Amino acid sequence: MSANRPQIETFGCRLNIWESEVMRDKAHEAGLNDAIIFNTCAVTSEAEKQARQSIRKWRRERPDAKIIVTGCAAQIDPNTWRDLPEVDYVIGNHDKLDADNWRNLEQGLLAPVHVSDVMEIRETASHFIDEFDDHTRAFLQVQQGCDHRCTFCIIPYGRGPSRSVGVGAVIESVEKLVASGVNEVVLTGVDITSWGHDLPGTPRLGHLVQQILKFVPQLPRLRLSSIDPAEPDHLLMDAIGTEPRLMPHLHLSVQHGDDVILKRMKRRHLARDIRRFVEEARRRRPDVIFGADMIAGFPTEDESAHQQSLALIEACDIPLLHVFGFSPREGTPAARMPQLDGGIIKQRSRDLRALGTRLLHQTLDNLVGSQDELLFEKGNQGHLRNFIKAKITGDVFYASGTVLAVKVIARDGDMVLVEPQDTDDKGAS
Ligand code: SF4
């Protein structure tokens, strides 16, 4: 990070990564270049512990810097963060995107704790980012907050009600990002499948995807961050089947494979809905690769329920797994349910991760001989269209952001080795 810009430590989701870019610009414009900003996550107690450790480390290294804490953990429990001796300011999740607050902080006019009630927020402003530091793939917020109340989840209390960014503002942002050299845009939010419910005519996510691809023909790759399989719309399913620039990679918020546990989680889908969604998406787009968020060790989960999770992931062939060992979040209904032993939670998390690795290796072996396009990120590595990690053979280096036609020649651990598809490659050095 260049010396004259604020240091930002980001924890958690892609939405936080995007918001950190917005804050970096606004804090920089306010002249707050000696500040260190911590954009926290509250999804697990581990995420909060990591933020506290990072704050202590930076305070030791930069005793005179202004230390500012924001993000979901700060929004949900501001006083706990204010009470840390290293911390100077605590700013709310909505307040962190307001340029006035950064200016007031720089001029010493902001209260040490400036956190507004996020449950009162009804609109979500669109913030244009000039560039996306260190990221060849640009995350773009199209939705914020959540109206659901999954029993394990604290996010709605940190992010407020669901609200959408208008189509016009999204398209303008995509155009700006593409003009700045970005080749892939990832639509992100807390629950992007609910995008549009608060807009005139209540359009759905599929409409937004089709509008972006129609009005920004120069955008090579559009990716969805994560979708709720309980709420796919027909335009989205059409786009999955017909839009080659919509990447063949769908990350699903599955969480569990047992229907009783899914009901206790207050999820809006059952196991059969996942199977049906995966089958239909695969029928329309045979090269699609799935990922999923899964929770291991949810309260009252017994061995057979755990086996249902393993069976669902296997049956749907979902190789890109994000596995979370259940972590009770104070204030959620699941935190008041009878908790499982920590050792069982760890073992079941290992089971799911081991299954994910096995399915991933099978998927990678099946890709050998296939052709794809690699978006270079760091050095000679990047991601294919299906979000599989890939490394190019040989010692030719390609500029970050280059998109190259490649052929998969072998599996290499959890990624594939590829070679250039044809010789007159652009960007080779
Ligand atoms: S859909 Fe459920 S898990 Fe996702 S943010 Fe909303 S409450 Fe949390």
Side-chain angles (χ1 to χ4, degrees), residues 12 16 25-26 58 66 87 99 120 132 147 177 188 196 209 231 242 244 259 273 279 283 307 317 330 350 411 416 418:
N16 252 11
D25 286 351
K26 294 187 188 305
W58 277 102
K66 280 196 186 72
V87 173
E120 296 303 313
F132 226 85
D147 293 339
L177 288 165
T188 191
V209 166
E231 299 165 358
T242 59
D259 289 350
D273 301 314
E279 230 169 77
R283 185 184 67 76
Q307 291 303 323
D317 189 14
E330 199 187 319
R350 279 195 292 272
R411 175 165 72 83
V416 290
V418 298

Side-chain angles (χ1 to χ4, degrees), residues 146 148 150 152-153 155-156 190 267-268:
C146 185
H148 302 300
C150 303
F152 55 83
C153 186
I155 298 171
V190 172
R267 296 295 295 174
R268 289 137 325 266

Side-chain angles (χ1 to χ4, degrees), residues 191-428:
D191 178 28
I192 66 172
T193 327
S194 67
W195 177 87
H197 74 98
D198 55 332
L199 298 176
T202 62
R204 301 292 306 277
L205 180 62
H207 172 76
L208 179 64
V209 166
Q210 292 188 340
Q211 293 295 298
I212 292 171
L213 294 171
K214 180 177 172 194
F215 289 102
V216 194
Q218 65 280 28
L219 171 69
R221 297 161 67 126
L222 181 65
R223 193 178 298 280
L224 302 176
S225 58
S226 175
I227 56 173
D228 187 336
E231 299 165 358
D233 63 274
H234 74 276
L235 290 179
L236 181 63
M237 297 312 284
D238 287 351
I240 289 170
T242 59
E243 296 280 1
R245 292 183 292 134
L246 178 61
M247 297 296 101
H249 160 240
L250 297 171
H251 190 82
L252 310 178
S253 182
V254 174
Q255 308 303 353
H256 210 279
D258 180 80
D259 289 350
V260 173
I261 298 292
L262 284 166
K263 286 190 182 116
R264 288 181 185 153
M265 287 178 162
K266 273 186 87 181
R267 296 295 295 174
R268 289 137 325 266
H269 63 261
L270 296 174
R272 66 171 174 271
D273 301 314
I274 304 297
R275 291 171 198 265
R276 204 177 297 136
F277 176 83
V278 165
E279 230 169 77
E280 180 59 16
R282 225 174 236 139
R283 185 184 67 76
R284 292 168 183 256
R285 190 76 177 264
D287 61 341
V288 67
I289 288 201
F290 291 96
D293 292 333
M294 293 294 286
I295 292 178
F298 183 82
T300 75
E301 176 197 79
D302 60 14
E303 185 55 31
S304 84
H306 174 52
Q307 291 303 323
Q308 291 295 331
S309 274
L310 295 167
L312 180 67
I313 295 297
E314 177 108 41
C316 295
D317 189 14
I318 303 181
L320 301 174
L321 287 187
H322 292 175
V323 177
F324 300 86
F326 177 76
S327 168
R329 306 291 34 224
E330 199 187 319
T332 63
R336 296 188 291 276
M337 297 178 189
Q339 308 291 305
L340 299 194
D341 170 77
I344 292 175
I345 296 175
K346 285 202 173 75
Q347 181 53 53
R348 290 180 181 166
S349 301
R350 279 195 292 272
D351 294 350
L352 276 166
R353 291 192 184 106
L355 172 61
T357 302
R358 177 165 62 77
L359 295 176
L360 177 63
H361 289 177
Q362 276 170 16
T363 300
L364 301 182
D365 290 339
N366 295 341
L367 286 173
V368 174
S370 68
Q371 295 161 0
D372 206 314
E373 284 178 351
L374 176 57
L375 170 66
F376 284 88
E377 288 148 33
K378 288 208 168 45
N380 60 352
Q381 294 192 14
H383 285 86
L384 302 177
R385 297 157 50 78
N386 53 24
F387 209 56
I388 292 295
K389 281 199 195 99
K391 183 163 58 182
I392 197 144
T393 53
D395 50 16
V396 180
F397 269 80
Y398 295 81
S400 290
T402 304
V403 175
L404 183 75
V406 295
K407 181 177 176 189
V408 177
I409 57 172
R411 175 165 72 83
D412 177 11
D414 291 347
M415 64 172 71
V416 290
L417 278 183
V418 298
E419 63 184 13
Q421 187 54 38
D422 55 40
T423 50
D424 62 351
D425 302 334
K426 290 182 264 345

